[in-house]
Amino acid sequence: MNRPILPLEDIRVLDLTHFVNGPYATMLLGYMGAEITKVESPKWGDGMRPGYRRTAEQPIGLAFALMNSNKRSITLNLKSDEGRDIFKRLVRKADVVVENYEAGTMERMGLSYEVLHGVNPEIIYANSTGYGQTGPNRNLPAFDPIVQAMTGVMAVTGRPEDPPLKAGAIMADVLGATHLCAGILGAIRQRDRTGEGLMVEISMQEAVLPSMVSHISAYYGMGLRQLREGNRGSGGVITPANAYPASDGWVVILAADNPRWRKLCVIMGWPELGEDSRYAKLSGRSSHRDEIDALIGEWTSTKSRSELMAVLNANDIICGIVKELPEVMTDPHLLQRGALQQLDHPQLGPITIFTSPLRFNGEPSRPRSPSPLLGADNERVYCNELGISTEEFASLRDRKII
């Protein structure tokens, strides 16, 4: 069977990004076939490289491997005049430059969009920051939990009686990266039509904001003020919707519409609750949500998670198991779909990685190469593609320009 042609196979990307936000965006582009070349500091490379290592001797941690499949790596000192000149030569052959430095960093290095557009008028320059390139917060440092705090996520997460709580998962970085990838795809389409490159900018804060839609609606649309409701629906207006104890863990049940509520009551053996005037309508159930949650928890605690899933799914009750991480990473469904794939990594050995959720013609994304060693592609890029001589290459390496 012939290898399918991927949609971005003719696109070259210079990737200046680090940690999660930028690398996930370029990872998505890489899985769509783009040639991704990470441009890293000769001293330490992407700051994620040493993260989550088992030992100091291990060359990289798992996080870097998860975020950097299908990429090449070159080293280049962009703080040097020679390094910046070499970067401009790379830009002449590239389609996209992606960076997630603090606002103003590229300008201070003399590598702003205006400068790079002058080098290559077709270049697409994509940038991600915490708060955008303009506005009073443009230079504030931004990491995922900080952006969660600044976007209201922490204020609505947790139980009412507890302090604000960050989401356990990295959401601001990933949402920002997804929007950044979408912006780059739009810019490529625009360039196809006009022949001109353009600048794409996203703010992580603005990318997170739409995730607050239900809380914004409850606050401004309904006048609700208590929005921190633990595992319940936003503002407690959707009932029942919560995590309930099973005999071997937890399940989440959502049966807020009236027909599902009545069906759930029958399943639990209390059909009369479905007709009780206090609970018959959503508004009444929301007013009595503590009682309802207690009743459902009393029933669920007598059954295993698998038993609950079987009976609830058979009766069209929306539900899900609260899975522990080892269960997720061995999930037969994710493995069968190719969302999780096993990879023999040259530095880490056998690992399980997530791939891109994007599928074309039903085909799962495939890792074509594992995450690269720092500078692994220096000779190939500088000598074979840029035409730098062997002597100059050695000199650049010895002087730590590359």
Side-chain angles (χ1 to χ4, degrees):
M1 182 177 178
N2 293 330
R3 183 181 68 82
I5 297 173
L6 297 172
L8 299 182
E9 283 191 355
D10 59 342
I11 299 297
R12 290 182 168 186
V13 179
L14 295 175
D15 180 6
L16 300 175
T17 67
H18 50 285
F19 293 109
V20 174
N21 171 245
Y24 185 64
T26 55
M27 187 192 90
L28 293 174
L29 297 173
Y31 271 109
M32 286 186 272
E35 179 188 84
I36 311 296
T37 302
K38 287 182 71 71
V39 183
E40 304 184 70
S41 162
K43 286 186 178 180
W44 50 75
D46 185 336
M48 185 61 89
R49 281 186 177 274
Y52 303 94
R53 292 183 297 176
R54 287 184 182 272
T55 67
E57 289 71 35
Q58 191 172 302
I60 60 167
L62 182 58
F64 183 82
L66 290 172
M67 287 289 169
N68 290 283
S69 295
N70 304 330
K71 298 180 185 181
R72 309 191 300 178
S73 171
I74 63 173
T75 54
L76 187 60
N77 181 2
L78 293 177
K79 294 182 179 180
S80 69
D81 290 338
E82 283 182 273
R84 289 190 289 271
D85 288 341
I86 291 172
F87 184 71
K88 290 174 185 176
R89 292 172 63 183
L90 292 167
V91 168
R92 291 191 187 100
K93 295 175 172 286
D95 296 285
V96 183
V97 171
V98 191
E99 56 97 354
N100 64 337
Y101 294 125
E102 179 186 322
T105 299
M106 291 291 277
E107 287 80 356
R108 289 192 294 273
M109 289 194 295
L111 297 173
S112 65
Y113 168 65
E114 291 75 19
V115 170
L116 298 185
H117 182 266
V119 171
N120 178 358
E122 296 185 6
I123 199 70
I124 292 165
Y125 181 107
N127 161 270
S128 172
T129 61
Y131 306 103
Q133 292 291 323
T134 59
N137 292 340
R138 70 185 294 265
N139 290 122
L140 291 182
F143 284 86
D144 193 275
I146 306 301
V147 176
Q148 288 189 40
M150 294 284 278
T151 317
V153 174
M154 286 183 65
V156 300
T157 305
R159 298 182 301 180
E161 64 273 18
D162 291 338
L165 189 68
K166 75 176 181 68
I170 296 175
M171 57 172 295
D173 278 328
V174 172
L175 282 170
T178 307
H179 284 77
L180 184 62
C181 179
I184 291 168
L185 296 178
I188 292 171
R189 180 70 183 100
Q190 173 79 343
R191 190 186 65 178
D192 289 343
R193 296 163 62 190
T194 67
E196 281 285 317
L198 65 157
M199 181 174 178
V200 177
E201 175 203 344
I202 72 100
S203 147
M204 289 164 60
Q205 184 183 38
E206 293 162 20
V208 171
L209 198 56
S211 71
M212 298 287 288
V213 57
S214 58
H215 298 90
I216 293 169
S217 301
Y219 190 96
Y220 289 101
M222 302 178 67
L224 298 178
R225 295 297 179 260
Q226 176 52 53
L227 300 179
R228 195 183 309 141
E229 289 284 353
N231 293 314
R232 287 172 170 163
S234 305
V237 298
I238 300 174
T239 303
N242 210 337
Y244 300 96
S247 62
D248 58 350
W250 294 81
V251 295
V252 173
I253 298 174
L254 199 163
D257 61 89
N258 296 335
R260 281 193 173 92
W261 163 245
R262 289 192 290 269
K263 196 178 294 186
L264 178 61
C265 291
V266 171
I267 294 169
M268 294 191 297
W270 301 316
E272 66 278 6
L273 288 178
E275 307 303 327
D276 191 310
S277 60
R278 294 172 297 171
Y279 312 137
K281 294 183 178 179
L282 178 59
S283 58
R285 291 195 294 278
S286 296
S287 299
H288 295 86
R289 54 187 182 271
D290 289 341
E291 302 164 32
I292 288 175
D293 282 343
L295 288 168
I296 296 173
E298 180 183 334
W299 174 70
T300 58
S301 63
T302 64
K303 302 180 182 298
S304 69
R305 296 181 306 170
S306 59
E307 289 173 328
L308 289 166
M309 286 291 287
V311 67
L312 292 169
N313 278 318
N315 287 277
D316 191 34
I317 304 297
I318 303 168
C319 60
I321 289 172
V322 178
K323 292 190 175 185
E324 298 293 337
L325 193 54
E327 295 177 287
V328 175
M329 295 303 289
T330 55
D331 187 323
H333 175 80
L334 294 174
L335 289 165
Q336 189 273 328
R337 279 182 53 81
L340 293 175
Q341 295 186 32
Q342 293 173 335
L343 176 71
D344 190 10
H345 195 281
Q347 285 82 51
L348 301 178
I351 60 173
T352 300
I353 64 169
F354 49 74
T355 61
S356 167
L358 298 172
R359 301 168 77 93
F360 297 97
N361 287 332
E363 288 294 319
S365 297
R366 302 287 183 191
R368 301 183 305 282
S369 61
S371 60
L373 285 172
L374 181 63
D377 299 282
N378 276 356
E379 186 170 356
R380 175 183 175 186
V381 172
Y382 291 129
C383 298
N384 298 350
E385 296 176 13
L386 277 193
I388 289 175
S389 68
T390 303
E391 294 76 15
E392 185 183 359
F393 178 81
S395 172
L396 291 168
R397 184 187 56 211
D398 293 343
R399 291 181 292 117
K400 297 182 171 45
I401 304 300
I402 62 173

